[in-house]
mmCIF file with all atom_site columns, all heavy atoms in Angstrom:
data_model
loop_
_atom_site.group_PDB
_atom_site.id
_atom_site.type_symbol
_atom_site.label_atom_id
_atom_site.label_alt_id
_atom_site.label_comp_id
_atom_site.label_asym_id
_atom_site.label_entity_id
_atom_site.label_seq_id
_atom_site.pdbx_PDB_ins_code
_atom_site.Cartn_x
_atom_site.Cartn_y
_atom_site.Cartn_z
_atom_site.occupancy
_atom_site.B_iso_or_equiv
_atom_site.pdbx_formal_charge
_atom_site.auth_seq_id
_atom_site.auth_comp_id
_atom_site.auth_asym_id
_atom_site.auth_atom_id
_atom_site.pdbx_PDB_model_num
ATOM 1   N N   . ILE A 1 27 ? 37.248 81.890 -116.437 1.00 95.00 ? 1191 ILE A N   1
ATOM 2   C CA  . ILE A 1 27 ? 38.638 82.246 -116.236 1.00 95.00 ? 1191 ILE A CA  1
ATOM 3   C C   . ILE A 1 27 ? 38.943 81.715 -114.804 1.00 95.00 ? 1191 ILE A C   1
ATOM 4   O O   . ILE A 1 27 ? 38.373 82.244 -113.830 1.00 95.00 ? 1191 ILE A O   1
ATOM 5   C CB  . ILE A 1 27 ? 38.908 83.738 -116.377 1.00 95.00 ? 1191 ILE A CB  1
ATOM 6   C CG1 . ILE A 1 27 ? 38.755 84.083 -117.911 1.00 95.00 ? 1191 ILE A CG1 1
ATOM 7   C CG2 . ILE A 1 27 ? 40.342 84.102 -115.946 1.00 95.00 ? 1191 ILE A CG2 1
ATOM 8   C CD1 . ILE A 1 27 ? 39.030 85.513 -118.132 1.00 95.00 ? 1191 ILE A CD1 1
ATOM 9   N N   . LYS A 1 28 ? 39.723 80.730 -114.753 1.00 95.00 ? 1192 LYS A N   1
ATOM 10  C CA  . LYS A 1 28 ? 39.750 80.020 -113.502 1.00 95.00 ? 1192 LYS A CA  1
ATOM 11  C C   . LYS A 1 28 ? 40.967 80.446 -112.568 1.00 95.00 ? 1192 LYS A C   1
ATOM 12  O O   . LYS A 1 28 ? 42.088 80.015 -112.851 1.00 95.00 ? 1192 LYS A O   1
ATOM 13  C CB  . LYS A 1 28 ? 39.942 78.452 -113.876 1.00 95.00 ? 1192 LYS A CB  1
ATOM 14  C CG  . LYS A 1 28 ? 39.502 77.585 -112.703 1.00 95.00 ? 1192 LYS A CG  1
ATOM 15  C CD  . LYS A 1 28 ? 39.458 76.134 -113.133 1.00 95.00 ? 1192 LYS A CD  1
ATOM 16  C CE  . LYS A 1 28 ? 39.361 75.261 -111.892 1.00 95.00 ? 1192 LYS A CE  1
ATOM 17  N NZ  . LYS A 1 28 ? 40.393 75.455 -110.939 1.00 95.00 ? 1192 LYS A NZ  1
ATOM 18  N N   . LEU A 1 29 ? 40.768 81.272 -111.644 1.00 97.00 ? 1193 LEU A N   1
ATOM 19  C CA  . LEU A 1 29 ? 41.697 81.814 -110.810 1.00 97.00 ? 1193 LEU A CA  1
ATOM 20  C C   . LEU A 1 29 ? 41.487 81.441 -109.336 1.00 97.00 ? 1193 LEU A C   1
ATOM 21  O O   . LEU A 1 29 ? 41.648 82.173 -108.459 1.00 97.00 ? 1193 LEU A O   1
ATOM 22  C CB  . LEU A 1 29 ? 41.722 83.353 -110.868 1.00 97.00 ? 1193 LEU A CB  1
ATOM 23  C CG  . LEU A 1 29 ? 41.733 83.909 -112.283 1.00 97.00 ? 1193 LEU A CG  1
ATOM 24  C CD1 . LEU A 1 29 ? 41.762 85.385 -112.407 1.00 97.00 ? 1193 LEU A CD1 1
ATOM 25  C CD2 . LEU A 1 29 ? 43.032 83.466 -113.140 1.00 97.00 ? 1193 LEU A CD2 1
ATOM 26  N N   . ASN A 1 30 ? 40.929 80.166 -109.205 1.00 96.00 ? 1194 ASN A N   1
ATOM 27  C CA  . ASN A 1 30 ? 40.462 79.763 -107.842 1.00 96.00 ? 1194 ASN A CA  1
ATOM 28  C C   . ASN A 1 30 ? 41.231 78.646 -107.153 1.00 96.00 ? 1194 ASN A C   1
ATOM 29  O O   . ASN A 1 30 ? 41.004 78.444 -105.947 1.00 96.00 ? 1194 ASN A O   1
ATOM 30  C CB  . ASN A 1 30 ? 38.982 79.421 -107.862 1.00 96.00 ? 1194 ASN A CB  1
ATOM 31  C CG  . ASN A 1 30 ? 38.687 78.077 -108.596 1.00 96.00 ? 1194 ASN A CG  1
ATOM 32  O OD1 . ASN A 1 30 ? 39.486 77.746 -109.513 1.00 96.00 ? 1194 ASN A OD1 1
ATOM 33  N ND2 . ASN A 1 30 ? 37.676 77.362 -108.266 1.00 96.00 ? 1194 ASN A ND2 1
ATOM 34  N N   . THR A 1 31 ? 42.135 78.015 -107.795 1.00 96.00 ? 1195 THR A N   1
ATOM 35  C CA  . THR A 1 31 ? 42.800 76.849 -107.113 1.00 96.00 ? 1195 THR A CA  1
ATOM 36  C C   . THR A 1 31 ? 44.413 76.964 -107.290 1.00 96.00 ? 1195 THR A C   1
ATOM 37  O O   . THR A 1 31 ? 45.019 75.920 -107.082 1.00 96.00 ? 1195 THR A O   1
ATOM 38  C CB  . THR A 1 31 ? 42.284 75.442 -107.568 1.00 96.00 ? 1195 THR A CB  1
ATOM 39  O OG1 . THR A 1 31 ? 42.217 75.488 -108.962 1.00 96.00 ? 1195 THR A OG1 1
ATOM 40  C CG2 . THR A 1 31 ? 40.908 75.202 -107.006 1.00 96.00 ? 1195 THR A CG2 1
ATOM 41  N N   . ASN A 1 32 ? 44.806 78.055 -107.628 1.00 97.00 ? 1196 ASN A N   1
ATOM 42  C CA  . ASN A 1 32 ? 46.299 78.295 -107.680 1.00 97.00 ? 1196 ASN A CA  1
ATOM 43  C C   . ASN A 1 32 ? 47.040 77.323 -108.677 1.00 97.00 ? 1196 ASN A C   1
ATOM 44  O O   . ASN A 1 32 ? 48.110 76.901 -108.454 1.00 97.00 ? 1196 ASN A O   1
ATOM 45  C CB  . ASN A 1 32 ? 47.017 78.111 -106.329 1.00 97.00 ? 1196 ASN A CB  1
ATOM 46  C CG  . ASN A 1 32 ? 46.485 79.232 -105.447 1.00 97.00 ? 1196 ASN A CG  1
ATOM 47  O OD1 . ASN A 1 32 ? 45.914 80.159 -105.878 1.00 97.00 ? 1196 ASN A OD1 1
ATOM 48  N ND2 . ASN A 1 32 ? 46.687 79.073 -104.112 1.00 97.00 ? 1196 ASN A ND2 1
ATOM 49  N N   . GLU A 1 33 ? 46.300 76.934 -109.722 1.00 97.00 ? 1197 GLU A N   1
ATOM 50  C CA  . GLU A 1 33 ? 46.920 76.135 -110.815 1.00 97.00 ? 1197 GLU A CA  1
ATOM 51  C C   . GLU A 1 33 ? 47.780 77.004 -111.602 1.00 97.00 ? 1197 GLU A C   1
ATOM 52  O O   . GLU A 1 33 ? 47.648 78.292 -111.604 1.00 97.00 ? 1197 GLU A O   1
ATOM 53  C CB  . GLU A 1 33 ? 45.916 75.480 -111.711 1.00 97.00 ? 1197 GLU A CB  1
ATOM 54  C CG  . GLU A 1 33 ? 45.114 74.353 -110.955 1.00 97.00 ? 1197 GLU A CG  1
ATOM 55  C CD  . GLU A 1 33 ? 43.579 74.286 -111.256 1.00 97.00 ? 1197 GLU A CD  1
ATOM 56  O OE1 . GLU A 1 33 ? 43.106 75.350 -111.615 1.00 97.00 ? 1197 GLU A OE1 1
ATOM 57  O OE2 . GLU A 1 33 ? 43.051 73.237 -111.174 1.00 97.00 ? 1197 GLU A OE2 1
ATOM 58  N N   . ASN A 1 34 ? 48.766 76.534 -112.339 1.00 98.00 ? 1198 ASN A N   1
ATOM 59  C CA  . ASN A 1 34 ? 49.671 77.269 -113.176 1.00 98.00 ? 1198 ASN A CA  1
ATOM 60  C C   . ASN A 1 34 ? 48.894 77.448 -114.500 1.00 98.00 ? 1198 ASN A C   1
ATOM 61  O O   . ASN A 1 34 ? 48.435 76.437 -115.024 1.00 98.00 ? 1198 ASN A O   1
ATOM 62  C CB  . ASN A 1 34 ? 50.993 76.514 -113.295 1.00 98.00 ? 1198 ASN A CB  1
ATOM 63  C CG  . ASN A 1 34 ? 52.080 77.315 -113.905 1.00 98.00 ? 1198 ASN A CG  1
ATOM 64  O OD1 . ASN A 1 34 ? 51.869 77.988 -114.902 1.00 98.00 ? 1198 ASN A OD1 1
ATOM 65  N ND2 . ASN A 1 34 ? 53.228 77.216 -113.307 1.00 98.00 ? 1198 ASN A ND2 1
ATOM 66  N N   . PRO A 1 35 ? 48.836 78.628 -115.095 1.00 97.00 ? 1199 PRO A N   1
ATOM 67  C CA  . PRO A 1 35 ? 48.185 78.825 -116.335 1.00 97.00 ? 1199 PRO A CA  1
ATOM 68  C C   . PRO A 1 35 ? 48.919 78.338 -117.534 1.00 97.00 ? 1199 PRO A C   1
ATOM 69  O O   . PRO A 1 35 ? 48.277 78.300 -118.635 1.00 97.00 ? 1199 PRO A O   1
ATOM 70  C CB  . PRO A 1 35 ? 47.930 80.370 -116.422 1.00 97.00 ? 1199 PRO A CB  1
ATOM 71  C CG  . PRO A 1 35 ? 49.210 80.887 -115.699 1.00 97.00 ? 1199 PRO A CG  1
ATOM 72  C CD  . PRO A 1 35 ? 49.475 79.964 -114.561 1.00 97.00 ? 1199 PRO A CD  1
ATOM 73  N N   . TYR A 1 36 ? 50.214 77.987 -117.489 1.00 98.00 ? 1200 TYR A N   1
ATOM 74  C CA  . TYR A 1 36 ? 50.984 77.554 -118.504 1.00 98.00 ? 1200 TYR A CA  1
ATOM 75  C C   . TYR A 1 36 ? 51.157 76.113 -118.619 1.00 98.00 ? 1200 TYR A C   1
ATOM 76  O O   . TYR A 1 36 ? 50.998 75.342 -117.591 1.00 98.00 ? 1200 TYR A O   1
ATOM 77  C CB  . TYR A 1 36 ? 52.327 78.236 -118.477 1.00 98.00 ? 1200 TYR A CB  1
ATOM 78  C CG  . TYR A 1 36 ? 52.318 79.729 -118.511 1.00 98.00 ? 1200 TYR A CG  1
ATOM 79  C CD1 . TYR A 1 36 ? 52.463 80.494 -117.331 1.00 98.00 ? 1200 TYR A CD1 1
ATOM 80  C CD2 . TYR A 1 36 ? 51.698 80.430 -119.645 1.00 98.00 ? 1200 TYR A CD2 1
ATOM 81  C CE1 . TYR A 1 36 ? 52.286 81.847 -117.336 1.00 98.00 ? 1200 TYR A CE1 1
ATOM 82  C CE2 . TYR A 1 36 ? 51.677 81.859 -119.662 1.00 98.00 ? 1200 TYR A CE2 1
ATOM 83  C CZ  . TYR A 1 36 ? 51.977 82.533 -118.480 1.00 98.00 ? 1200 TYR A CZ  1
ATOM 84  O OH  . TYR A 1 36 ? 51.760 83.857 -118.508 1.00 98.00 ? 1200 TYR A OH  1
ATOM 85  N N   . PRO A 1 37 ? 51.359 75.547 -119.798 1.00 98.00 ? 1201 PRO A N   1
ATOM 86  C CA  . PRO A 1 37 ? 51.413 74.074 -119.890 1.00 98.00 ? 1201 PRO A CA  1
ATOM 87  C C   . PRO A 1 37 ? 52.737 73.501 -119.264 1.00 98.00 ? 1201 PRO A C   1
ATOM 88  O O   . PRO A 1 37 ? 53.733 74.287 -119.174 1.00 98.00 ? 1201 PRO A O   1
ATOM 89  C CB  . PRO A 1 37 ? 51.444 73.819 -121.379 1.00 98.00 ? 1201 PRO A CB  1
ATOM 90  C CG  . PRO A 1 37 ? 51.895 75.086 -122.010 1.00 98.00 ? 1201 PRO A CG  1
ATOM 91  C CD  . PRO A 1 37 ? 51.567 76.181 -121.084 1.00 98.00 ? 1201 PRO A CD  1
ATOM 92  N N   . PRO A 1 38 ? 52.702 72.213 -118.848 1.00 98.00 ? 1202 PRO A N   1
ATOM 93  C CA  . PRO A 1 38 ? 53.856 71.659 -118.388 1.00 98.00 ? 1202 PRO A CA  1
ATOM 94  C C   . PRO A 1 38 ? 54.981 71.447 -119.386 1.00 98.00 ? 1202 PRO A C   1
ATOM 95  O O   . PRO A 1 38 ? 54.685 71.628 -120.600 1.00 98.00 ? 1202 PRO A O   1
ATOM 96  C CB  . PRO A 1 38 ? 53.377 70.156 -117.861 1.00 98.00 ? 1202 PRO A CB  1
ATOM 97  C CG  . PRO A 1 38 ? 52.052 70.017 -118.412 1.00 98.00 ? 1202 PRO A CG  1
ATOM 98  C CD  . PRO A 1 38 ? 51.511 71.261 -118.899 1.00 98.00 ? 1202 PRO A CD  1
ATOM 99  N N   . SER A 1 39 ? 56.175 71.197 -118.922 1.00 98.00 ? 1203 SER A N   1
ATOM 100 C CA  . SER A 1 39 ? 57.290 71.093 -119.941 1.00 98.00 ? 1203 SER A CA  1
ATOM 101 C C   . SER A 1 39 ? 56.997 69.897 -120.878 1.00 98.00 ? 1203 SER A C   1
ATOM 102 O O   . SER A 1 39 ? 56.436 68.799 -120.497 1.00 98.00 ? 1203 SER A O   1
ATOM 103 C CB  . SER A 1 39 ? 58.583 70.698 -119.127 1.00 98.00 ? 1203 SER A CB  1
ATOM 104 O OG  . SER A 1 39 ? 59.452 69.887 -119.901 1.00 98.00 ? 1203 SER A OG  1
ATOM 105 N N   . PRO A 1 40 ? 57.319 70.132 -122.135 1.00 98.00 ? 1204 PRO A N   1
ATOM 106 C CA  . PRO A 1 40 ? 57.136 69.101 -123.245 1.00 98.00 ? 1204 PRO A CA  1
ATOM 107 C C   . PRO A 1 40 ? 57.833 67.752 -122.819 1.00 98.00 ? 1204 PRO A C   1
ATOM 108 O O   . PRO A 1 40 ? 57.421 66.729 -123.190 1.00 98.00 ? 1204 PRO A O   1
ATOM 109 C CB  . PRO A 1 40 ? 57.724 69.675 -124.502 1.00 98.00 ? 1204 PRO A CB  1
ATOM 110 C CG  . PRO A 1 40 ? 57.807 71.135 -124.263 1.00 98.00 ? 1204 PRO A CG  1
ATOM 111 C CD  . PRO A 1 40 ? 57.951 71.338 -122.746 1.00 98.00 ? 1204 PRO A CD  1
ATOM 112 N N   . ASN A 1 41 ? 58.912 67.848 -122.041 1.00 98.00 ? 1205 ASN A N   1
ATOM 113 C CA  . ASN A 1 41 ? 59.666 66.672 -121.592 1.00 98.00 ? 1205 ASN A CA  1
ATOM 114 C C   . ASN A 1 41 ? 58.784 65.744 -120.740 1.00 98.00 ? 1205 ASN A C   1
ATOM 115 O O   . ASN A 1 41 ? 58.849 64.571 -120.690 1.00 98.00 ? 1205 ASN A O   1
ATOM 116 C CB  . ASN A 1 41 ? 60.936 66.999 -120.775 1.00 98.00 ? 1205 ASN A CB  1
ATOM 117 C CG  . ASN A 1 41 ? 61.958 67.751 -121.668 1.00 98.00 ? 1205 ASN A CG  1
ATOM 118 O OD1 . ASN A 1 41 ? 61.673 67.999 -122.889 1.00 98.00 ? 1205 ASN A OD1 1
ATOM 119 N ND2 . ASN A 1 41 ? 63.005 68.234 -121.046 1.00 98.00 ? 1205 ASN A ND2 1
ATOM 120 N N   . VAL A 1 42 ? 57.918 66.496 -119.922 1.00 98.00 ? 1206 VAL A N   1
ATOM 121 C CA  . VAL A 1 42 ? 56.966 65.713 -119.099 1.00 98.00 ? 1206 VAL A CA  1
ATOM 122 C C   . VAL A 1 42 ? 55.990 64.864 -119.841 1.00 98.00 ? 1206 VAL A C   1
ATOM 123 O O   . VAL A 1 42 ? 55.779 63.658 -119.561 1.00 98.00 ? 1206 VAL A O   1
ATOM 124 C CB  . VAL A 1 42 ? 56.236 66.706 -118.133 1.00 98.00 ? 1206 VAL A CB  1
ATOM 125 C CG1 . VAL A 1 42 ? 55.179 66.033 -117.305 1.00 98.00 ? 1206 VAL A CG1 1
ATOM 126 C CG2 . VAL A 1 42 ? 57.215 67.374 -117.208 1.00 98.00 ? 1206 VAL A CG2 1
#
Side-chain angles (χ1 to χ4, degrees):
I1191 292 182
K1192 198 170 171 302
L1193 308 178
N1194 69 332
T1195 47
N1196 298 342
E1197 288 141 333
N1198 194 312
Y1200 300 109
S1203 154
N1205 297 353
V1206 170

